[in-house]
Amino acid sequence: MIRGILITFLCAAILPLRVIAAEPVQVEVSRFYFPNTPEEATTSRIIDLMDEDEDLQVVQWGGLSLPGGGGRASLMMSIAGRTAPDIMESWFHVIRNDVHQGFLYPLNEWIGEDADGDGFIGDDEADWDRWSDIPELWRRVATVDGKVYGIPQITKYFMGVIYRRDTVRAAGLNPDQPPETWEDFVAWCMKLTDPQKSIPGAAVQRGQRAIALSPFGFTWLPWVEAAGGNPIIQVRESPITGESHLFPMYATEFVTDTGEDLSKVTPTWKANFASEAGMEAAELYHRLRWMKWMIDPRTGQGIELKEQDLAAGHVDVDGRRIPFNPDDVITGVARGQTGQREADDMWRMLGLQEVGMVVWFVQDMQGLADQIGIDPRLLSWFPIPRGPGEETRPVVQVQRHYAVMSEGVGRRPHEEREKVWKVLTAVTDDLAADNAIRDQVLAGLAAFVNPLDLQRLGLEDYLDDVSPVVRRNFEQIRTGEVRTTTEPFSGFWVTVDDTLNRRVLSLILAETGEDFDYRTALAQTEEEANKGLMFGHAEEELNRYRPAARVIFLIILVLVSLFAVKVIRAMMRTHTGKSGKVRAGIAPWLIMFPALILIMLWAYYPLFRGMVMAFQDYRIVGDSAFIGLDNFIALALDRSFWISMWRTVQFVILNISLAFIAPILLAVLLSEVPTHKVFFRTLFFLPNMTSGLVIALMWKMLYDPTPEGTLNRFIALVDKLPIVNIGDQTWLQDPSLAMLCTVIPTVWASMGMASLIYLAALKAVPDELYEAAEMDGAGLMTKLRKITLPTLMPLIIINLVGTFIGTFQNMGNIFLMTFGGPGDATMVIAMKIWIEAYNNLRFSMATTMAWVLGALLIGFTFVQIKLLQRVEFRKAEWD
């Protein structure tokens, strides 16, 4: 009975587990992001392990859960607080960053030591018999300076093109003969596109398109590799000739054409997105989204139209001249996943047959089928077709993440560490892998299993479920006809992945992307990736700027010191009595002591720690090296930081122009309303009673970019008026409108409260002044300029400075509505600081940005204090 209870409990978790030994010793195991991994596979393996070892018990580790970019934040906080699980998951592309942050404990005491000092544990150096079974690339990824930090998990994730067989068949295509080249793929897309098709259940009737394209960098990389490119390369310099040699990111052998072995040479990593293959992949995205084409009236085939065809109004095909009207021209065969509307979700579009294909992980098809409510047998997949050129091959991206030990394991006794190792090897061994395959078959997904695995496990009865196309996929992967690649594992790939999304791919796919200069944007992204965004600045480059940085820092330090002395002297003068002596007495200090302690603890101590972090290569765990002014140099060289500063200035100007001025005008209008004053004041005040989160999400729905969106419907009504032709707007997807769209909800929600404050100040103006002005012939504008504004000026100054400083630090609406996009259109500095700290875990850079921003605001605070000293407050008389 107890065993049954344990099995039930463990199956309910996505393998966040905890192991307890006889003392008891608690060893926690946590997994993230793999909801589609069959729970029963590792669960049954753990149960078997507990049966073998009576002193071992496995329980679930729990923690806070944060969505989106903060998905691993709970784990990071638990590591910092020494409450982390002992066994957890580290993603393939972040394991080296986890090592850099000090999160992980090395496994060398079980696997073996790097005896020859080449930074890698060879087969002859390994003590663990399973080490040689792991492919060399996966071993190298988990090895840093001769220390091994992870073991690959049991599941391999293949990324390819997932398609609906019924949709493909309905378009007159053979679902078992998918396209092999890009040109074949474009032809398939034309056949799968029907702009006039009615989609039952679709929120917006937009017809059927061939594919939903996601703007993620990692889903774009396979297209680059299918064109023969290597998105990341490593440069190794020959110590003999001094010549630099280029190797792909995933290379495991480093022998030059002359036979020289460079495996012991430390490589220099570089981004290579803007290569010819990268440009071709970006061009393909643009082509799929914006190509102009028509259907041949005789053959029913798609005909791509060139600019000269569009200008001439006809196209020549196989000796035939085919005329066409503008209504015959179709734009694009793809839909972009913008993320603004739920209906744009690519799974939902696939389920409704708004699209026939998506690019995603094959192992997620069970969850995909459940999510969109279709039979998984209707789904199949094929590799990314090969690009132009003779040497190109189809591509499947393979991801295989790691089971790792958290750094806290190192503080446990040897006997307890052995228990942790026992669990770690159990959840990654062949028994667990075979259990996963059996569970996949029992779940009705034998059609997506490698036929060789079915034969090996004696499951030949299910071979008939595997379609010819899936059989061919696995066979071509085995023989190498299909190129297998993976995500970048060196440098801050997560940061660049987001940058590619934000600055290139999302802008190609957006409603305004037809004329977007993606080539320049891609070249700029590569340049920034190689200048600190993904890979750190070279020591030679930092040395070039360090002398100037020290001089600037010294000047700033002197100015700050002089400023501090001036402030202290001003404070001393303020507390000096008529006798010229400072008032003494311990009583005031005793009264202030609790408040001073709290302020020091919660305000000034974090401020001091942040100041120190800006001069460190900060690590959440372990020692943080002091690097001087290098963070400030990197920040000064970071083009995206200055773009964010400029966006912040734009954001502040818009807020002051709208959110600050609107309440003043509203207060004046409310003061002049002859009747129903309480009603109108209540009406404008009510939005303040609503949560800011609700307001932001409500306005996000109003900004629906389709013709059925609320604001676009209103525009459609206005367009019916004479001489008016505004047209549908894409709102948050339009870089020219996005910033304004994030400010408007704040104006709408906050001006009621602010107007009541100004309205109260207006009551301080005697009515006799207005009456006297009217007797002198003053009009409305004269009274505003000569009486109202001078009366409100002290309050305006207070609010202006406060609004200015607060807006510099504000990002709430941007976080909820655009997350800094589209592109960098709304990437204010506060948003960038959040992303650097909690998405990229680069706390040193985040605090450096915060200090630069804080230094700018200190001056405004000083001005505020000076202005407030001149403000005169008087009691207002209310009606």
Side-chain angles (χ1 to χ4, degrees), residues 595-607:
L596 289 174
I597 292 296
L598 291 176
I599 292 174
M600 291 295 296
L601 179 62
W602 298 110
Y604 287 100
Y605 175 73
L607 192 66

Side-chain angles (χ1 to χ4, degrees), residues 398-522:
V398 182
Q399 293 188 7
R400 193 175 182 184
H401 303 303
Y402 292 89
V404 297
M405 292 185 188
S406 68
E407 56 84 30
V409 174
R411 294 188 291 272
R412 294 189 180 277
H414 174 74
E415 295 77 9
E416 298 175 8
R417 295 200 302 273
E418 289 293 331
K419 296 287 187 182
V420 182
W421 172 251
K422 191 173 186 179
V423 177
L424 184 72
T425 54
V427 298
T428 58
D429 64 13
D430 292 338
L431 290 176
D434 291 345
N435 286 341
I437 295 173
R438 292 188 182 96
D439 291 337
Q440 191 174 2
V441 172
L442 293 176
L445 296 175
F448 309 123
V449 176
N450 190 332
L452 293 178
D453 288 330
L454 295 177
Q455 292 175 342
R456 180 175 57 83
L457 297 176
L459 301 171
E460 292 89 349
D461 293 343
Y462 294 93
L463 285 173
D464 292 339
D465 294 342
V466 184
S467 67
V469 64
V470 174
R471 288 173 182 263
R472 184 166 61 251
N473 293 340
F474 283 113
E475 178 62 20
Q476 289 178 340
I477 290 173
R478 186 186 68 82
T479 60
E481 295 176 65
V482 170
R483 181 185 181 189
T484 55
T485 64
T486 189
E487 276 194 270
F489 55 84
S490 181
F492 289 98
W493 162 242
V494 175
T495 306
V496 177
D497 183 23
D498 176 73
T499 306
L500 284 168
N501 178 335
R502 185 184 307 281
R503 297 189 190 171
V504 185
L505 303 176
S506 64
L507 295 182
I508 291 175
L509 301 177
E511 297 294 331
T512 57
E514 185 170 4
D515 298 322
F516 173 61
D517 184 6
Y518 57 85
R519 291 181 174 273
T520 300
L522 190 58

Side-chain angles (χ1 to χ4, degrees), residues 583-612:
R583 296 170 184 162
I586 195 172
W589 291 101
L590 290 176
I591 294 172
M592 290 189 301
F593 184 75
L596 289 174
I597 292 296
L598 291 176
I599 292 174
M600 291 295 296
L601 179 62
W602 298 110
Y604 287 100
Y605 175 73
L607 192 66
F608 174 76
R609 284 293 297 129
M611 180 180 65
V612 173

Side-chain angles (χ1 to χ4, degrees), residues 835-851:
I835 290 175
E836 281 293 318
Y838 299 107
N839 268 24
N840 304 334
L841 298 182
R842 300 204 296 185
F843 292 98
S844 293
M845 289 302 298
T847 52
T848 304
M849 293 179 189
W851 268 99

Side-chain angles (χ1 to χ4, degrees), residues 325-368:
N325 298 317
D327 293 340
D328 298 327
V329 179
I330 303 171
T331 299
V333 293
R335 283 201 172 93
Q337 183 194 2
T338 64
Q340 181 175 336
R341 295 168 55 252
E342 186 179 6
D344 278 331
D345 182 86
M346 60 181 179
W347 306 139
R348 184 177 297 273
M349 287 190 282
L350 188 66
L352 294 174
Q353 298 190 68
E354 289 188 74
V355 298
M357 300 180 289
V358 297
V359 177
W360 203 248
F361 299 103
V362 175
Q363 281 67 26
D364 286 350
M365 279 198 286
Q366 174 62 54
L368 168 60

